[in-house]
Protein backbone atom coordinates (compact mmCIF):
# COMPACT_ATOMS: atom_id res chain seq x y z
CA UNK A 1 0.00 0.00 0.00
CA UNK A 2 2.39 2.70 -1.26
CA UNK A 3 0.18 5.84 -1.11
CA UNK A 4 2.26 8.82 -2.28
CA UNK A 5 5.84 8.13 -3.32
CA UNK A 6 8.44 10.80 -4.01
CA UNK A 7 11.75 10.33 -5.78
CA UNK A 8 14.50 11.13 -5.10
CA UNK A 9 14.64 11.51 -1.30
CA UNK A 10 17.79 13.62 -1.35
CA UNK A 11 19.53 15.66 -4.00
CA UNK A 12 22.34 18.17 -4.17
CA UNK A 13 22.51 20.51 -7.16
CA UNK A 14 24.84 23.23 -8.29
CA UNK A 15 23.41 26.63 -9.14
CA UNK A 16 22.04 26.60 -12.68
CA UNK A 17 21.52 22.87 -12.93
CA UNK A 18 18.13 21.42 -13.71
CA UNK A 19 16.25 18.52 -12.21
CA UNK A 20 12.84 16.90 -12.00
CA UNK A 21 11.14 15.60 -8.88
CA UNK A 22 8.70 12.78 -9.40
CA UNK A 23 5.55 12.17 -7.40
CA UNK A 24 3.46 9.06 -7.88
CA UNK A 25 0.20 8.09 -6.18
CA UNK A 26 -1.65 4.82 -6.40
CA UNK A 27 -4.98 5.94 -4.90
CA UNK A 28 -6.58 7.18 -8.13
CA UNK A 29 -6.74 10.70 -6.70
CA UNK A 30 -7.76 13.57 -8.93
CA UNK A 31 -5.88 16.35 -7.14
CA UNK A 32 -2.14 16.56 -6.66
CA UNK A 33 0.06 19.24 -5.10
CA UNK A 34 3.64 20.33 -4.66
CA UNK A 35 4.65 22.17 -1.49
CA UNK A 36 7.93 23.44 -0.19
CA UNK A 37 8.70 23.57 3.51
CA UNK A 38 11.11 26.11 4.94
CA UNK A 39 11.91 26.75 8.61
CA UNK A 40 9.50 29.19 10.20
CA UNK A 41 7.34 29.40 7.08
CA UNK A 42 5.36 26.18 7.15
CA UNK A 43 4.34 24.66 3.86
CA UNK A 44 3.80 26.86 0.83
CA UNK A 45 1.95 25.68 -2.23
CA UNK A 46 4.01 25.79 -5.43
CA UNK A 47 1.66 24.31 -8.03
CA UNK A 48 -1.27 21.99 -8.01
CA UNK A 49 -3.37 19.95 -10.40
CA UNK A 50 -7.08 19.23 -10.31
CA UNK A 51 -6.89 16.44 -12.88
CA UNK A 52 -4.85 14.81 -15.62
CA UNK A 53 -3.54 17.36 -18.08
CA UNK A 54 -4.30 20.37 -15.84
CA UNK A 55 -2.05 22.47 -13.64
CA UNK A 56 -2.45 25.69 -11.68
CA UNK A 57 -0.16 28.09 -9.84
CA UNK A 58 -0.07 28.19 -6.09
CA UNK A 59 1.43 30.65 -3.70
CA UNK A 60 5.11 30.46 -4.81
CA UNK A 61 5.27 29.20 -8.43
CA UNK A 62 8.22 31.22 -9.75
CA UNK A 63 11.21 29.15 -10.84
CA UNK A 64 9.22 25.92 -11.03
CA UNK A 65 7.27 24.11 -13.70
CA UNK A 66 4.97 21.11 -13.42
CA UNK A 67 3.31 18.53 -15.61
CA UNK A 68 0.50 16.06 -15.07
CA UNK A 69 0.56 13.89 -18.18
CA UNK A 70 -0.73 10.85 -16.33
CA UNK A 71 -3.28 10.89 -13.53
CA UNK A 72 -0.98 9.06 -11.12
CA UNK A 73 2.11 11.22 -11.66
CA UNK A 74 2.90 14.86 -10.94
CA UNK A 75 6.32 16.15 -11.90
CA UNK A 76 8.03 19.23 -10.49
CA UNK A 77 10.82 20.74 -12.55
CA UNK A 78 13.53 23.22 -11.71
CA UNK A 79 15.00 24.55 -14.97
CA UNK A 80 17.84 26.56 -13.44
CA UNK A 81 18.25 25.87 -9.76
CA UNK A 82 19.04 28.70 -7.35
CA UNK A 83 20.21 28.57 -3.71
CA UNK A 84 16.82 30.04 -2.70
CA UNK A 85 15.26 26.78 -3.84
CA UNK A 86 17.06 24.84 -1.14
CA UNK A 87 14.14 23.35 0.76
CA UNK A 88 12.22 20.21 1.60
CA UNK A 89 9.65 19.45 -1.07
CA UNK A 90 6.46 17.57 -0.35
CA UNK A 91 4.02 16.10 -2.78
CA UNK A 92 0.45 15.44 -1.73
CA UNK A 93 -2.73 14.13 -3.28
CA UNK A 94 -6.43 14.19 -2.49
CA UNK A 95 -9.47 12.40 -3.88
CA UNK A 96 -11.14 15.65 -4.86
CA UNK A 97 -11.04 19.28 -3.78
CA UNK A 98 -13.24 21.15 -1.35
CA UNK A 99 -12.04 20.01 2.04
CA UNK A 100 -10.70 16.58 1.21
CA UNK A 101 -7.88 15.12 3.26
CA UNK A 102 -4.39 15.43 1.79
CA UNK A 103 -2.10 12.42 1.68
CA UNK A 104 1.56 13.38 1.81
CA UNK A 105 4.73 11.80 0.56
CA UNK A 106 7.77 11.61 2.82
CA UNK A 107 9.55 14.54 1.20
CA UNK A 108 12.62 15.37 -0.88
CA UNK A 109 15.51 17.26 0.69
CA UNK A 110 17.04 19.47 -2.01
CA UNK A 111 20.18 21.50 -1.53
CA UNK A 112 21.36 23.98 -4.16
CA UNK A 113 24.95 25.08 -3.75
CA UNK B 1 -6.36 34.41 -0.66
CA UNK B 2 -6.86 32.64 2.62
CA UNK B 3 -4.16 32.67 5.29
CA UNK B 4 -3.36 31.10 8.64
CA UNK B 5 -1.52 32.37 11.70
CA UNK B 6 -0.12 30.13 14.40
CA UNK B 7 1.07 32.54 17.10
CA UNK B 8 3.19 30.03 19.03
CA UNK B 9 6.39 28.82 17.36
CA UNK B 10 7.33 26.44 20.17
CA UNK B 11 5.41 25.09 23.17
CA UNK B 12 6.69 22.87 25.97
CA UNK B 13 4.31 20.93 28.19
CA UNK B 14 4.77 18.22 30.78
CA UNK B 15 3.57 14.74 30.05
CA UNK B 16 0.02 14.35 31.32
CA UNK B 17 -0.71 18.07 31.16
CA UNK B 18 -3.36 19.58 28.92
CA UNK B 19 -2.49 21.19 25.60
CA UNK B 20 -3.94 23.96 23.49
CA UNK B 21 -2.40 25.07 20.21
CA UNK B 22 -3.71 28.28 18.70
CA UNK B 23 -4.73 28.90 15.11
CA UNK B 24 -6.30 31.98 13.54
CA UNK B 25 -7.40 32.12 9.92
CA UNK B 26 -8.44 34.67 7.37
CA UNK B 27 -10.94 33.72 4.68
CA UNK B 28 -13.96 35.44 3.22
CA UNK B 29 -16.27 32.44 3.07
CA UNK B 30 -16.89 29.48 5.33
CA UNK B 31 -13.51 27.82 5.53
CA UNK B 32 -12.35 24.26 5.40
CA UNK B 33 -10.04 23.96 8.41
CA UNK B 34 -7.49 21.29 9.20
CA UNK B 35 -4.88 20.28 11.72
CA UNK B 36 -1.96 18.17 10.53
CA UNK B 37 0.91 16.67 12.52
CA UNK B 38 4.45 16.08 11.29
CA UNK B 39 6.91 13.81 13.02
CA UNK B 40 10.62 14.36 12.29
CA UNK B 41 11.61 13.32 8.77
CA UNK B 42 8.05 12.47 7.82
CA UNK B 43 5.26 13.90 5.76
CA UNK B 44 2.14 15.37 7.31
CA UNK B 45 -0.71 13.34 8.75
CA UNK B 46 -4.25 14.63 9.18
CA UNK B 47 -5.43 14.92 12.78
CA UNK B 48 -8.88 16.37 12.12
CA UNK B 49 -10.85 18.69 9.89
CA UNK B 50 -13.86 20.97 9.95
CA UNK B 51 -16.05 22.20 7.14
CA UNK B 52 -19.58 22.33 8.49
CA UNK B 53 -21.83 21.17 11.30
CA UNK B 54 -20.79 20.74 14.90
CA UNK B 55 -18.12 23.27 15.76
CA UNK B 56 -16.32 20.84 18.10
CA UNK B 57 -14.46 18.30 16.01
CA UNK B 58 -12.92 15.07 17.27
CA UNK B 59 -9.80 13.69 15.66
CA UNK B 60 -7.33 10.89 15.97
CA UNK B 61 -4.98 10.31 18.91
CA UNK B 62 -7.37 12.00 21.35
CA UNK B 63 -7.18 15.47 19.78
CA UNK B 64 -10.11 17.82 19.33
CA UNK B 65 -10.52 21.30 17.89
CA UNK B 66 -13.17 23.97 18.18
CA UNK B 67 -14.20 26.29 15.35
CA UNK B 68 -15.13 29.77 16.57
CA UNK B 69 -16.32 31.91 13.71
CA UNK B 70 -16.54 35.08 15.81
CA UNK B 71 -12.86 34.78 16.69
CA UNK B 72 -11.70 33.30 13.35
CA UNK B 73 -10.03 30.58 15.37
CA UNK B 74 -9.62 26.82 15.22
CA UNK B 75 -7.61 25.86 18.30
CA UNK B 76 -6.38 22.32 18.84
CA UNK B 77 -6.68 20.72 22.27
CA UNK B 78 -5.77 17.52 24.07
CA UNK B 79 -6.64 16.88 27.73
CA UNK B 80 -3.53 14.82 28.56
CA UNK B 81 -0.37 14.89 26.45
CA UNK B 82 1.75 11.80 25.87
CA UNK B 83 5.48 11.80 25.09
CA UNK B 84 4.67 10.46 21.61
CA UNK B 85 2.75 13.67 20.84
CA UNK B 86 6.03 15.57 20.48
CA UNK B 87 5.99 16.77 16.87
CA UNK B 88 5.24 19.81 14.76
CA UNK B 89 1.62 20.78 14.30
CA UNK B 90 0.23 22.69 11.35
CA UNK B 91 -3.10 24.42 10.99
CA UNK B 92 -4.40 24.84 7.44
CA UNK B 93 -7.30 26.51 5.65
CA UNK B 94 -8.63 25.35 2.28
CA UNK B 95 -11.06 26.49 -0.35
CA UNK B 96 -13.20 24.67 -2.88
CA UNK B 97 -10.19 24.01 -5.10
CA UNK B 98 -8.27 22.58 -2.15
CA UNK B 99 -5.81 25.42 -2.50
CA UNK B 100 -4.60 24.73 1.00
CA UNK B 101 -2.68 27.34 2.96
CA UNK B 102 -0.69 26.26 5.98
CA UNK B 103 0.43 28.11 9.06
CA UNK B 104 4.10 28.27 10.00
CA UNK B 105 3.67 25.47 12.50
CA UNK B 106 3.99 24.99 16.26
CA UNK B 107 6.68 22.69 17.58
CA UNK B 108 5.56 20.73 20.64
CA UNK B 109 8.08 19.46 23.17
CA UNK B 110 6.87 17.10 25.91
CA UNK B 111 8.79 17.04 29.19
CA UNK B 112 8.88 13.77 31.14
Amino acid sequence: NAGVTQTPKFRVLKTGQSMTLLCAQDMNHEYMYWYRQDPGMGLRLIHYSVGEGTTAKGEVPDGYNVSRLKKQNFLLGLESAAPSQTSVYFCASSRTGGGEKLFFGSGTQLSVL
Amino acid sequence: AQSVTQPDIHITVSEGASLELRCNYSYGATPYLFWYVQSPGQGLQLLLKYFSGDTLVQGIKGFEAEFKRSQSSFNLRKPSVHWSDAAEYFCAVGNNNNDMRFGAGTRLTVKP
Side-chain angles (χ1 to χ4, degrees):
Chain A
N1 196 9
V4 179
T5 303
Q6 292 182 233
T7 53
K9 294 190 184 305
F10 303 94
R11 186 71 187 270
V12 178
L13 292 178
K14 294 181 179 178
T15 297
Q17 286 185 318
S18 64
M19 78 161 294
T20 300
L21 280 67
L22 171 64
C23 177
Q25 53 93 4
D26 62 0
M27 297 172 282
N28 202 34
H29 284 173
E30 290 294 332
Y31 285 56
M32 297 186 74
Y33 316 79
W34 277 107
Y35 288 90
R36 60 177 289 172
Q37 183 177 27
D38 303 291
M41 303 190 74
L43 279 79
R44 291 181 292 167
L45 183 63
I46 304 171
H47 287 280
Y48 64 103
S49 168
V50 301
E52 181 179 318
T54 72
T55 64
K57 293 181 180 180
E59 195 178 354
V60 288
D62 294 341
Y64 305 94
N65 56 76
V66 288
S67 64
R68 183 100 180 267
L69 298 179
K70 293 183 178 180
K71 186 177 183 178
Q72 63 268 33
N73 295 337
F74 195 31
L75 278 61
L76 178 71
L78 286 73
E79 291 186 348
S80 179
S84 61
Q85 294 178 304
T86 293
S87 187
V88 180
Y89 292 85
F90 285 97
C91 177
S93 71
S94 64
R95 189 173 60 88
T96 61
E100 282 286 321
K101 168 185 176 180
L102 268 62
F103 291 78
F104 283 85
S106 57
T108 296
Q109 173 72 60
L110 175 65
S111 296
V112 182
L113 306 178
Chain B
Q2 64 273 31
S3 65
V4 174
T5 301
Q6 293 180 247
D8 304 307
I9 296 172
H10 183 207
I11 285 182
T12 299
V13 300
S14 298
E15 191 168 16
S18 63
L19 171 70
E20 182 168 24
L21 302 182
R22 296 183 291 165
C23 171
N24 293 97
Y25 69 90
S26 173
Y27 187 55
T30 299
Y32 300 111
L33 294 164
F34 306 80
W35 275 100
Y36 283 84
V37 61
Q38 184 181 34
S39 298
Q42 301 296 316
L44 279 69
Q45 179 186 19
L46 181 69
L47 284 175
L48 47 79
K49 68 177 184 180
Y50 168 84
F51 54 91
S52 66
D54 193 347
T55 57
L56 185 62
V57 181
Q58 301 298 320
I60 62 171
K61 305 184 180 185
F63 286 92
E64 66 177 26
E66 186 171 13
F67 170 58
K68 293 185 177 180
R69 185 187 300 275
S70 62
Q71 299 177 18
S72 297
S73 70
F74 189 56
N75 294 350
L76 182 71
R77 301 193 293 249
K78 186 169 185 178
S80 177
V81 170
H82 187 263
W83 64 266
S84 61
D85 293 325
E88 188 146 21
Y89 291 80
F90 293 93
C91 182
V93 58
N95 60 17
N96 283 333
N97 279 333
N98 246 17
D99 178 356
M100 196 88 70
R101 302 298 171 100
F102 286 80
T106 298
R107 184 161 61 92
L108 174 65
T109 298
V110 180
K111 292 190 303 184

